[in-house]
Amino acid sequence: MRLSSTLFFAGAVLAAPMPMPTPPGIPSSSSAKSQLAGLTVAAANDDGAYDRDLFPTWDTITGTCNTREYVLRRDGNNVQVGSDCYPTSGSWTSPYDGATWTAPSDIDIDHMVPLKNAWISGANKWTTAKREQFANDVDRPQLWAVTDNVNSAKSDKSPDAWKPPLTSFYCTYASAWVAVKSYWALSVTSAEKSALTSMLNTC
């Protein structure tokens, strides 16, 4: 009897590599380097006033789908949803660590540029409406479906303090980070810029 090449371990599916999700707006490495050069370098301005509620999330994007459900459908494989848009089946490959999951509860929707990082790099001066647009931005590479505990490990860290486990994803990660900061005119610290430069040099 021939055994399947697919293995199951702690809820993850280990099989032939699934295609990685590709949110819109990821620049080429050369464009990302140009965008990075144009960012303002400044010390983080942590005024102690950050609150997650200052960035309203999971707006309705289309039909009955909120932002989380929209990204789960966009970034998954063979995703089927119910009338409420919540996935009933499908699989998700987390680009940060390469793990594939079949339960949406194992997937977090990560903000590429974390909300607190945005706050300390300029978003503290925005209106709540603008922060809401940022937190639900599906037009740029800001929202990613990733393994939940990997997202927890990242937390609100910038690339000088945390990088995805998959080094092969460094190029895309840094390109997406820079694209988001460039569009939203957010600053970077010198350490952050140095880390992004190193990651872009892996492209």
Side-chain angles (χ1 to χ4, degrees), residues 26 35-36 39 48 62 82 89-90 94-95 100 109 114-115 120 123-124 131 153 162 180 189 194:
I26 301 171
Q35 290 176 1
L36 179 57
L39 294 179
T62 180
S89 64
S94 168
T100 295
I109 305 304
L115 304 182
I120 65 177
N124 60 328
R131 288 192 289 266
W162 186 91
V180 172
T189 65
S194 177

PDB file of all heavy atoms in Angstrom, residues 26 35-36 39 48 62 82 89-90 94-95 100 109 114-115 120 123-124 131 153 162 180 189 194:
ATOM      1  N   ILE A  26       3.219  44.637  -3.529  1.00  0.00           N
ATOM      2  CA  ILE A  26       4.598  44.342  -3.120  1.00  0.00           C
ATOM      3  C   ILE A  26       5.532  44.877  -4.207  1.00  0.00           C
ATOM      4  O   ILE A  26       5.469  44.443  -5.355  1.00  0.00           O
ATOM      5  CB  ILE A  26       4.821  42.833  -2.926  1.00  0.00           C
ATOM      6  CG1 ILE A  26       3.865  42.283  -1.865  1.00  0.00           C
ATOM      7  CG2 ILE A  26       6.275  42.557  -2.527  1.00  0.00           C
ATOM      8  CD1 ILE A  26       3.866  40.780  -1.766  1.00  0.00           C
ATOM      9  N   GLN A  35      12.279  53.345  -2.224  1.00  0.00           N
ATOM     10  CA  GLN A  35      11.300  53.822  -1.241  1.00  0.00           C
ATOM     11  C   GLN A  35      11.934  53.946   0.136  1.00  0.00           C
ATOM     12  O   GLN A  35      11.678  54.907   0.869  1.00  0.00           O
ATOM     13  CB  GLN A  35      10.097  52.874  -1.198  1.00  0.00           C
ATOM     14  CG  GLN A  35       9.222  52.917  -2.444  1.00  0.00           C
ATOM     15  CD  GLN A  35       8.094  51.906  -2.402  1.00  0.00           C
ATOM     16  OE1 GLN A  35       7.930  51.169  -1.447  1.00  0.00           O
ATOM     17  NE2 GLN A  35       7.314  51.872  -3.470  1.00  0.00           N
ATOM     18  N   LEU A  36      12.763  52.976   0.497  1.00  0.00           N
ATOM     19  CA  LEU A  36      13.435  53.020   1.798  1.00  0.00           C
ATOM     20  C   LEU A  36      14.330  54.252   1.900  1.00  0.00           C
ATOM     21  O   LEU A  36      14.360  54.924   2.944  1.00  0.00           O
ATOM     22  CB  LEU A  36      14.261  51.751   2.013  1.00  0.00           C
ATOM     23  CG  LEU A  36      15.053  51.648   3.314  1.00  0.00           C
ATOM     24  CD1 LEU A  36      14.148  51.781   4.536  1.00  0.00           C
ATOM     25  CD2 LEU A  36      15.842  50.339   3.367  1.00  0.00           C
ATOM     26  N   LEU A  39      12.387  57.345   2.977  1.00  0.00           N
ATOM     27  CA  LEU A  39      11.700  57.425   4.263  1.00  0.00           C
ATOM     28  C   LEU A  39      12.452  58.330   5.237  1.00  0.00           C
ATOM     29  O   LEU A  39      13.682  58.390   5.229  1.00  0.00           O
ATOM     30  CB  LEU A  39      11.555  56.031   4.876  1.00  0.00           C
ATOM     31  CG  LEU A  39      10.653  55.030   4.142  1.00  0.00           C
ATOM     32  CD1 LEU A  39      10.647  53.692   4.871  1.00  0.00           C
ATOM     33  CD2 LEU A  39       9.240  55.569   4.009  1.00  0.00           C
ATOM     34  N   GLY A  48       3.399  56.868  25.077  1.00  0.00           N
ATOM     35  CA  GLY A  48       2.686  56.131  26.111  1.00  0.00           C
ATOM     36  C   GLY A  48       1.181  56.134  25.952  1.00  0.00           C
ATOM     37  O   GLY A  48       0.468  55.577  26.792  1.00  0.00           O
ATOM     38  N   THR A  62     -16.366  43.594   1.776  1.00  0.00           N
ATOM     39  CA  THR A  62     -17.240  43.296   0.648  1.00  0.00           C
ATOM     40  C   THR A  62     -18.312  42.307   1.080  1.00  0.00           C
ATOM     41  O   THR A  62     -18.007  41.338   1.801  1.00  0.00           O
ATOM     42  CB  THR A  62     -16.448  42.724  -0.539  1.00  0.00           C
ATOM     43  OG1 THR A  62     -17.335  42.433  -1.631  1.00  0.00           O
ATOM     44  CG2 THR A  62     -15.710  41.456  -0.177  1.00  0.00           C
ATOM     45  N   GLY A  82     -19.176  30.065   4.477  1.00  0.00           N
ATOM     46  CA  GLY A  82     -20.607  30.034   4.686  1.00  0.00           C
ATOM     47  C   GLY A  82     -21.228  31.384   4.349  1.00  0.00           C
ATOM     48  O   GLY A  82     -20.554  32.313   3.889  1.00  0.00           O
ATOM     49  N   SER A  89     -13.936  25.486   5.003  1.00  0.00           N
ATOM     50  CA  SER A  89     -12.866  24.573   4.614  1.00  0.00           C
ATOM     51  C   SER A  89     -11.815  25.367   3.854  1.00  0.00           C
ATOM     52  O   SER A  89     -12.052  26.507   3.439  1.00  0.00           O
ATOM     53  CB  SER A  89     -13.386  23.420   3.753  1.00  0.00           C
ATOM     54  OG  SER A  89     -13.910  23.905   2.529  1.00  0.00           O
ATOM     55  N   GLY A  90     -10.653  24.743   3.680  1.00  0.00           N
ATOM     56  CA  GLY A  90      -9.562  25.394   2.971  1.00  0.00           C
ATOM     57  C   GLY A  90      -8.254  25.157   3.702  1.00  0.00           C
ATOM     58  O   GLY A  90      -8.204  24.452   4.716  1.00  0.00           O
ATOM     59  N   SER A  94       1.401  29.828   5.812  1.00  0.00           N
ATOM     60  CA  SER A  94       1.943  31.046   6.420  1.00  0.00           C
ATOM     61  C   SER A  94       3.292  31.369   5.798  1.00  0.00           C
ATOM     62  O   SER A  94       4.236  30.580   5.925  1.00  0.00           O
ATOM     63  CB  SER A  94       2.093  30.842   7.932  1.00  0.00           C
ATOM     64  OG  SER A  94       2.862  31.878   8.502  1.00  0.00           O
ATOM     65  N   PRO A  95       3.428  32.521   5.152  1.00  0.00           N
ATOM     66  CA  PRO A  95       4.696  32.840   4.506  1.00  0.00           C
ATOM     67  C   PRO A  95       5.823  33.118   5.493  1.00  0.00           C
ATOM     68  O   PRO A  95       6.990  33.040   5.128  1.00  0.00           O
ATOM     69  CB  PRO A  95       4.369  34.093   3.686  1.00  0.00           C
ATOM     70  CG  PRO A  95       3.244  34.733   4.420  1.00  0.00           C
ATOM     71  CD  PRO A  95       2.438  33.598   4.964  1.00  0.00           C
ATOM     72  N   THR A 100       1.521  25.007   6.928  1.00  0.00           N
ATOM     73  CA  THR A 100       0.204  25.015   6.303  1.00  0.00           C
ATOM     74  C   THR A 100      -0.829  24.532   7.310  1.00  0.00           C
ATOM     75  O   THR A 100      -0.609  23.521   7.999  1.00  0.00           O
ATOM     76  CB  THR A 100       0.184  24.126   5.050  1.00  0.00           C
ATOM     77  OG1 THR A 100       1.061  24.680   4.073  1.00  0.00           O
ATOM     78  CG2 THR A 100      -1.220  24.049   4.447  1.00  0.00           C
ATOM     79  N   ILE A 109      -4.430  37.319  11.333  1.00  0.00           N
ATOM     80  CA  ILE A 109      -4.191  38.296  10.280  1.00  0.00           C
ATOM     81  C   ILE A 109      -3.221  39.323  10.856  1.00  0.00           C
ATOM     82  O   ILE A 109      -3.561  40.080  11.762  1.00  0.00           O
ATOM     83  CB  ILE A 109      -5.494  38.975   9.806  1.00  0.00           C
ATOM     84  CG1 ILE A 109      -6.506  37.921   9.375  1.00  0.00           C
ATOM     85  CG2 ILE A 109      -5.187  39.944   8.668  1.00  0.00           C
ATOM     86  CD1 ILE A 109      -6.023  36.952   8.304  1.00  0.00           C
ATOM     87  N   PRO A 114       3.109  46.731  12.426  1.00  0.00           N
ATOM     88  CA  PRO A 114       2.202  46.627  13.571  1.00  0.00           C
ATOM     89  C   PRO A 114       1.591  47.969  13.946  1.00  0.00           C
ATOM     90  O   PRO A 114       2.184  49.034  13.717  1.00  0.00           O
ATOM     91  CB  PRO A 114       3.112  46.094  14.690  1.00  0.00           C
ATOM     92  CG  PRO A 114       4.242  45.412  13.979  1.00  0.00           C
ATOM     93  CD  PRO A 114       4.460  46.224  12.741  1.00  0.00           C
ATOM     94  N   LEU A 115       0.413  47.905  14.528  1.00  0.00           N
ATOM     95  CA  LEU A 115      -0.308  49.132  14.840  1.00  0.00           C
ATOM     96  C   LEU A 115       0.465  50.009  15.816  1.00  0.00           C
ATOM     97  O   LEU A 115       0.520  51.227  15.643  1.00  0.00           O
ATOM     98  CB  LEU A 115      -1.698  48.791  15.386  1.00  0.00           C
ATOM     99  CG  LEU A 115      -2.561  47.906  14.462  1.00  0.00           C
ATOM    100  CD1 LEU A 115      -3.932  47.670  15.084  1.00  0.00           C
ATOM    101  CD2 LEU A 115      -2.689  48.529  13.070  1.00  0.00           C
ATOM    102  N   ILE A 120       4.046  54.877  16.921  1.00  0.00           N
ATOM    103  CA  ILE A 120       5.282  55.536  17.359  1.00  0.00           C
ATOM    104  C   ILE A 120       6.108  56.070  16.187  1.00  0.00           C
ATOM    105  O   ILE A 120       7.152  56.691  16.398  1.00  0.00           O
ATOM    106  CB  ILE A 120       6.141  54.590  18.225  1.00  0.00           C
ATOM    107  CG1 ILE A 120       6.632  53.385  17.420  1.00  0.00           C
ATOM    108  CG2 ILE A 120       5.364  54.155  19.459  1.00  0.00           C
ATOM    109  CD1 ILE A 120       7.542  52.443  18.213  1.00  0.00           C
ATOM    110  N   ALA A 123       1.651  57.707  13.302  1.00  0.00           N
ATOM    111  CA  ALA A 123       0.195  57.564  13.299  1.00  0.00           C
ATOM    112  C   ALA A 123      -0.466  58.168  14.532  1.00  0.00           C
ATOM    113  O   ALA A 123      -1.688  58.340  14.558  1.00  0.00           O
ATOM    114  CB  ALA A 123      -0.194  56.094  13.172  1.00  0.00           C
ATOM    115  N   ASN A 124       0.329  58.506  15.556  1.00  0.00           N
ATOM    116  CA  ASN A 124      -0.249  59.172  16.733  1.00  0.00           C
ATOM    117  C   ASN A 124      -0.796  60.558  16.385  1.00  0.00           C
ATOM    118  O   ASN A 124      -1.593  61.122  17.125  1.00  0.00           O
ATOM    119  CB  ASN A 124       0.789  59.280  17.849  1.00  0.00           C
ATOM    120  CG  ASN A 124       2.008  60.075  17.457  1.00  0.00           C
ATOM    121  OD1 ASN A 124       2.415  60.075  16.297  1.00  0.00           O
ATOM    122  ND2 ASN A 124       2.620  60.754  18.421  1.00  0.00           N
ATOM    123  N   ARG A 131      -6.466  56.102  10.940  1.00  0.00           N
ATOM    124  CA  ARG A 131      -5.911  54.903  11.563  1.00  0.00           C
ATOM    125  C   ARG A 131      -6.760  53.677  11.230  1.00  0.00           C
ATOM    126  O   ARG A 131      -6.245  52.571  11.046  1.00  0.00           O
ATOM    127  CB  ARG A 131      -5.784  55.099  13.073  1.00  0.00           C
ATOM    128  CG  ARG A 131      -4.661  56.059  13.458  1.00  0.00           C
ATOM    129  CD  ARG A 131      -4.359  56.014  14.949  1.00  0.00           C
ATOM    130  NE  ARG A 131      -5.414  56.612  15.740  1.00  0.00           N
ATOM    131  CZ  ARG A 131      -5.431  57.891  16.139  1.00  0.00           C
ATOM    132  NH1 ARG A 131      -4.442  58.703  15.805  1.00  0.00           N
ATOM    133  NH2 ARG A 131      -6.419  58.352  16.874  1.00  0.00           N
ATOM    134  N   ALA A 153       4.746  36.002  18.431  1.00  0.00           N
ATOM    135  CA  ALA A 153       6.173  36.230  18.664  1.00  0.00           C
ATOM    136  C   ALA A 153       6.627  37.558  18.063  1.00  0.00           C
ATOM    137  O   ALA A 153       7.451  38.264  18.638  1.00  0.00           O
ATOM    138  CB  ALA A 153       6.986  35.081  18.079  1.00  0.00           C
ATOM    139  N   TRP A 162      12.807  41.687  15.227  1.00  0.00           N
ATOM    140  CA  TRP A 162      12.162  40.411  14.867  1.00  0.00           C
ATOM    141  C   TRP A 162      12.165  40.253  13.353  1.00  0.00           C
ATOM    142  O   TRP A 162      11.886  41.217  12.617  1.00  0.00           O
ATOM    143  CB  TRP A 162      10.727  40.358  15.372  1.00  0.00           C
ATOM    144  CG  TRP A 162      10.068  39.018  15.162  1.00  0.00           C
ATOM    145  CD1 TRP A 162      10.053  37.970  16.037  1.00  0.00           C
ATOM    146  CD2 TRP A 162       9.333  38.572  14.005  1.00  0.00           C
ATOM    147  NE1 TRP A 162       9.362  36.902  15.491  1.00  0.00           N
ATOM    148  CE2 TRP A 162       8.917  37.251  14.248  1.00  0.00           C
ATOM    149  CE3 TRP A 162       8.993  39.174  12.785  1.00  0.00           C
ATOM    150  CZ2 TRP A 162       8.169  36.503  13.330  1.00  0.00           C
ATOM    151  CZ3 TRP A 162       8.264  38.435  11.853  1.00  0.00           C
ATOM    152  CH2 TRP A 162       7.847  37.122  12.125  1.00  0.00           C
ATOM    153  N   VAL A 180       4.532  49.731   2.783  1.00  0.00           N
ATOM    154  CA  VAL A 180       3.496  50.244   3.687  1.00  0.00           C
ATOM    155  C   VAL A 180       3.959  51.547   4.331  1.00  0.00           C
ATOM    156  O   VAL A 180       3.224  52.544   4.363  1.00  0.00           O
ATOM    157  CB  VAL A 180       3.138  49.184   4.751  1.00  0.00           C
ATOM    158  CG1 VAL A 180       2.202  49.781   5.812  1.00  0.00           C
ATOM    159  CG2 VAL A 180       2.485  47.972   4.100  1.00  0.00           C
ATOM    160  N   THR A 189      13.314  54.030  12.253  1.00  0.00           N
ATOM    161  CA  THR A 189      14.476  54.328  13.086  1.00  0.00           C
ATOM    162  C   THR A 189      15.732  53.938  12.311  1.00  0.00           C
ATOM    163  O   THR A 189      15.664  53.207  11.313  1.00  0.00           O
ATOM    164  CB  THR A 189      14.431  53.549  14.405  1.00  0.00           C
ATOM    165  OG1 THR A 189      14.546  52.150  14.128  1.00  0.00           O
ATOM    166  CG2 THR A 189      13.136  53.826  15.163  1.00  0.00           C
ATOM    167  N   SER A 194      18.560  49.962   8.932  1.00  0.00           N
ATOM    168  CA  SER A 194      19.706  49.088   8.732  1.00  0.00           C
ATOM    169  C   SER A 194      19.268  47.640   8.526  1.00  0.00           C
ATOM    170  O   SER A 194      19.755  46.928   7.637  1.00  0.00           O
ATOM    171  CB  SER A 194      20.658  49.184   9.925  1.00  0.00           C
ATOM    172  OG  SER A 194      21.743  48.300   9.779  1.00  0.00           O
TER     173      SER A 194
END
